[in-house]
Amino acid sequence: MKKHYCTVFLITVMVLILTACGGTGESAADVSIPDNPEDVEGDVTVWAWALEANYLEKDVLPAFEEKYPNVNVTIEHIGVDQVYQKVSAGLSSGGSGLPDVVQVENNRIHSFTEQFPDAFTNLSALGYDEHEDKFAEAKISGLKDSDGNIIAMPRDLGPVAVLYRTDIFEEAGVDPVSIKTWDDYIAAGKKVVEQTGKYFLGTEGDGILRIMMQQQGSYYFDEEGNLDITSEAGEKAANVLQQMKDNDLITYTNNWDGQVAAMKNGEVATHPGAVWWSGTMIEQMPELAGKWDMFKLPAFEEGGTRASNDGGSALAIPSESDNKAAAYVFAEFATTDVDSQIKALTNRGLFPALTAAYEEPVFSEEQEYFNNQPFFKKFADIVPEIPAVNHDGAELEVRSVMGSEIEAFLLDDKPAMDMLTDGEKQAVQQTGKETTE
């Protein structure tokens, strides 16, 4: 009898250990994707937030169900913070309670994989490599593991340009075509401030610094994940920001709502920002229709790179999913079906990462709100030029540090170079990371 109890006890312990270690999900190597869509079966649960959740449910699902009639997909609308909290909790408990597909931002995915290297399914093993060249290198490279395997499917991204008020530029006598470098931008800003009394731009965080660094092919981290805030690129960006401040061109708008208000109320003439700002502008500033347009980011030197990115998300399949084949075909459809990408843009304002979508007529259509220009085509032309950078797992921590430093720079008269050096020191203390030698 004692031997029997001992055996039962050992089996129970082993089951608990396997569960805690997350051993229940099927291996990617054991998954086969049927060629016939009707042969794919299963229930798929998806976690996503806001516009992406609406896109998946209303724009993707109807067409997907026609092609894959035996896959039942449930889209759970969950707030972004909740998604990340639930994913962290699930991974910490060995994969318990995780969905089959989850939305994750480029700048967040490695915060999970650094702690849980096998958090997400190796999509290369399931065949997603065949789609790799359909996306910009800057997007797809950030969705790979340390072995070069794709672990999340690209959905949307945020190419950056300078949004500007056409009426204010006209009043100040500034031709946007003449702005090719940051020196040109500062010269134009001086003229706008002098002629109109308005600020040239506002900022509410570290976004402007990140944008400037990425356009130079640099970022807060080097390729090895070391902190690289005080790099040559960082110093060049800080120098431009210092000139903006010294000439009273820039104002601190405090937060998102403050930035929206500054643009809506005509307090600023430009906004270096991502294409997804268009949705907010159309929704919250309809009275300014026809008074906004865009031009490419100024370069740091004549002929230099005039492209950067801010934002974008992807769809990943947690390794513990027992429905990988069904999850894969749903995520694949949502990221590679051209018609769905166009619906994401026109219905949700989500700019697709799939470059084939840029050839569709809607991208060349003139947008009344944006000075009757082919607004989306102009952003699409930027995408191939966006430099790839390392979105390390500690990015959000460092962004928080640098956001505080930007605030001190603009409000407390801290020199821009001190902003960089102090920020890097704080980032070292907070993340435990080393700096680039």
Side-chain angles (χ1 to χ4, degrees), residues 189-262:
K190 291 178 182 178
K191 197 169 183 181
V192 165
V193 171
E194 180 181 345
Q195 296 293 323
T196 70
K198 299 180 183 297
Y199 286 107
F200 203 45
L201 75 158
T203 187
E204 48 86 19
D206 69 325
I208 185 67
L209 177 62
R210 289 185 287 106
I211 286 168
M212 287 181 168
M213 290 184 71
Q214 180 169 7
Q215 78 171 115
Q216 300 174 77
S218 181
Y219 207 60
Y220 290 160
F221 311 94
D222 63 18
E223 292 183 1
E224 286 71 43
N226 298 310
L227 290 164
D228 202 20
I229 300 170
T230 56
S231 63
E232 181 180 354
E235 291 183 356
K236 285 183 178 180
N239 180 57
V240 170
L241 290 172
Q242 188 69 61
Q243 291 182 63
M244 290 178 183
K245 181 183 176 185
D246 291 345
N247 288 281
D248 294 321
L249 307 185
I250 189 169
T251 182
Y252 184 67
T253 53
N254 192 48
N255 53 34
W256 169 267
D257 290 339
Q259 182 64 40
V260 171

Side-chain angles (χ1 to χ4, degrees), residues 62-90:
F64 173 80
E65 288 176 335
E66 285 188 16
K67 184 174 181 179
Y68 294 93
N70 297 315
V71 178
N72 179 44
V73 179
T74 300
I75 311 295
E76 296 191 7
H77 296 242
I78 305 175
V80 55
D81 291 337
Q82 260 192 305
V83 167
Y84 290 138
Q85 289 167 6
K86 287 165 72 72
V87 169
S88 294

Side-chain angles (χ1 to χ4, degrees), residues 258-299:
Q259 182 64 40
V260 171
M263 296 168 68
K264 180 179 176 67
N265 299 332
E267 297 171 24
V268 295
T270 74
H271 177 61
V275 64
W276 42 258
W277 266 97
S278 61
T280 298
M281 296 164 72
I282 292 170
E283 180 180 308
Q284 300 193 35
M285 315 170 202
E287 71 279 7
L288 297 179
K291 295 183 178 180
W292 286 97
D293 201 345
M294 64 82 87
F295 58 85
K296 295 176 72 173
L297 275 179

Side-chain angles (χ1 to χ4, degrees), residues 130-179:
E130 69 174 293
H131 301 300
E132 181 171 357
D133 61 359
K134 299 176 183 177
F135 304 96
E137 173 63 20
K139 178 69 177 182
I140 196 75
S141 65
L143 300 174
K144 295 181 178 180
D145 62 18
S146 58
D147 295 322
N149 298 307
I150 298 172
I151 56 173
M153 304 185 194
R155 248 295 298 133
D156 64 313
L157 76 169
V160 172
V162 178
L163 304 166
Y164 75 97
R165 283 283 297 270
T166 57
D167 54 336
I168 296 176
F169 268 49
E170 185 176 347
E171 179 184 348
V174 173
D175 180 4
V177 176
S178 68
I179 302 176

